[in-house]
Amino acid sequence: MRTLEWDSTAKRLKMIDQRVLPSKLELISLDTYQSVSQSIKDMAVRGAPAIGVAAAFGMVLAAQQSQAGDVDSMRADLNQAAEVLGASRPTAVNLPWALKRMLGVAGQTYSSTTKLRAALLNEAQRMADEDVALNRSMAAYGAELINDGDTIIHHCNTGALATVDWGTALGVIRMAHEQGKHIHVLVDETRPRLQGARLTAWELSQYGIPYDIISDNAAGYFLHTGQVNKVFYGGDRVARNGDVANKIGSYMLALAANANNVPVYSVVPTSTIDMELASGDEIPIEERDQDEVLNIQFRNQPATPKGASARNPAFDVTPHELISGIVTEKGVIYPPFEIHLAKIMQES
Ligand code: MRU
């Protein structure tokens, strides 16, 4: 199944619960927009495109929950739901992007609340289908960058689980593998929530792509000893100068890759590009609960002393100078990003 999909019989949003993978493959079923917001906060669903589409279905649920007797009153309920959903996580621009699109649909003229509900469901379904199609298109462009025999460092999880299906950076790797290229992936474990070790490794096992999990701090060693050909990761928000906000650790990885002349590619749909922001300095960076850093075990014992405190920024920004290319569904964008991003965004 897809990472998330609408259950038309139960009129609920079904999704894979990413908190319990890889031990268990469990589905959760949500019937309120508030529970969708909570699932985004708790990271039952995560990854920029998946969050966007989940929020779109959250708006469908909000319309379903609304008791409004007329279209205008339902719009007021939808605006309130969009506020709640939009506040779930701050960094991925796909969330406000999807909500804006849903509110745009809600703003059209309808003769009844039933018609408005149907239009919202239709739009959310369209967004989900588009996501899969865009990912396949990015994968085809990105796979051209990969050579037979490449070893690739991949950060976080950017696969089917981070999207509706197929994935962004991991989708590129999967496409190259399906084209018959022999690839080896070094999977950054991605502390503190281990999206690499838990989710990317699980996906790679399913696709039969050879990999080794490495601790995040081993990446420099592999890059410096000439064992890596390329670095691939996704992106949660790209500013118009090409700065890329992505999972914490991406910046350090890009620095080490550049120091060793290894190219770094970020794979993002154009919905992740935020032309309103001049640079990555303006991207809001989520800071999550310190418990995610502290509450871990080493050989079944607490790994940190009682009362320890921690900082937990969930994302960082890679300055565009460190990025070799940005792979989108429109093609691979090369520097100068400011000019080339403006061009493709104008076209779309
Ligand atoms: O905190 P997460 O797991 O939602 O972070 C996800 C990432 O950083 C991904 O790399 C990003 O969303 C792009 S992948 C589609």
Side-chain angles (χ1 to χ4, degrees):
M1 76 166 266
R2 289 177 166 185
T3 295
L4 66 161
E5 60 190 24
W6 183 249
D7 179 342
S8 47
T9 313
K11 296 194 165 60
R12 285 163 167 246
L13 176 62
K14 270 192 318 191
M15 54 172 73
I16 294 176
D17 186 348
Q18 302 192 35
R19 294 165 300 187
V20 296
L21 277 171
S23 332
K24 289 183 254 175
L25 179 55
E26 276 181 5
L27 299 183
I28 49 176
S29 176
L30 308 174
D31 61 356
T32 64
Y33 73 86
Q34 292 92 341
S35 58
V36 174
S37 169
Q38 198 57 45
S39 72
I40 295 172
K41 281 186 188 152
D42 294 345
M43 294 173 65
V45 61
R46 44 141 306 276
I51 291 173
V53 177
F57 282 112
M59 293 293 281
V60 174
L61 290 170
Q64 206 167 271
Q65 287 169 262
S66 170
Q67 306 284 322
D70 61 87
V71 169
D72 279 342
S73 314
M74 185 175 277
R75 272 195 204 109
D77 289 346
L78 288 168
N79 280 325
Q80 202 209 330
E83 293 275 317
V84 172
L85 287 160
S88 312
R89 287 187 81 188
T91 303
V93 73
N94 306 61
L95 182 57
W97 172 87
L99 291 169
K100 194 171 162 197
R101 200 164 139 175
M102 293 301 278
L103 288 175
V105 168
Q108 288 163 20
T109 310
Y110 299 96
S111 53
S112 68
T113 52
T114 312
K115 293 227 161 86
L116 171 51
R117 284 196 181 101
L120 290 170
L121 176 56
N122 196 35
E123 187 67 4
Q125 297 277 32
R126 197 202 319 263
M127 239 182 252
D129 293 342
E130 273 174 20
D131 182 61
V132 184
L134 296 182
N135 290 341
R136 284 190 169 263
S137 169
M138 286 192 287
Y141 285 118
E144 288 173 24
L145 301 167
I146 296 179
N147 298 321
D148 190 29
D150 273 356
T151 294
I152 296 167
I153 294 189
H154 175 275
H155 195 64
C156 195
N157 172 265
T158 66
L161 290 167
T163 60
V164 176
D165 204 353
W166 193 265
T168 60
L170 202 63
V172 166
I173 291 170
R174 184 174 169 189
M175 180 69 83
H177 168 77
E178 290 195 359
Q179 290 170 348
K181 292 174 187 166
H182 298 90
I183 304 160
H184 192 85
V185 185
L186 293 176
V187 178
D188 267 358
E189 61 175 353
T190 318
R191 281 281 292 144
R193 289 191 63 111
L194 299 169
Q195 289 94 327
R198 293 190 303 109
L199 308 175
T200 299
W202 181 76
E203 285 198 42
L204 288 170
S205 306
Q206 317 259 322
Y207 311 145
I209 302 175
Y211 68 88
D212 290 303
I213 297 172
I214 59 171
S215 59
D216 300 332
N217 45 10
Y221 163 78
F222 286 105
L223 286 158
H224 189 61
T225 50
Q227 299 185 61
V228 182
N229 304 97
K230 272 138 212 162
V231 168
F232 270 89
Y233 50 71
D236 287 79
R237 196 185 293 233
V238 177
R240 65 170 182 262
N241 67 347
D243 291 353
V244 175
N246 191 53
K247 180 50 53 198
I248 192 75
S250 301
Y251 172 47
M252 260 178 18
L253 178 59
L255 280 171
N258 274 259
N260 292 286
N261 299 313
V262 172
V264 176
Y265 297 103
S266 166
V267 185
V268 293
T270 49
S271 53
T272 301
I273 300 169
D274 187 348
M275 295 302 281
E276 285 177 20
L277 302 190
S279 82
D281 296 344
E282 296 171 37
I283 298 176
I285 299 294
E286 176 182 17
E287 181 139 358
R288 294 185 62 86
D289 198 305
Q290 54 175 333
D291 185 61
E292 291 181 351
V293 176
L294 297 172
N295 191 7
I296 55 162
Q297 297 212 324
F298 180 71
R299 297 182 195 256
N300 297 326
Q301 299 296 323
T304 56
K306 265 204 181 103
S309 66
R311 293 289 305 274
N312 187 15
F315 299 93
D316 58 27
V317 174
T318 307
H320 60 275
E321 297 87 351
L322 301 179
I323 305 272
S324 315
I326 300 176
V327 181
T328 72
E329 75 275 14
K330 310 259 172 221
V332 185
I333 315 300
Y334 292 102
F337 292 118
E338 183 105 42
I339 293 169
H340 294 152
L341 285 176
K343 198 159 170 266
I344 60 146
M345 293 308 276
Q346 230 158 30
E347 280 163 15
S348 57

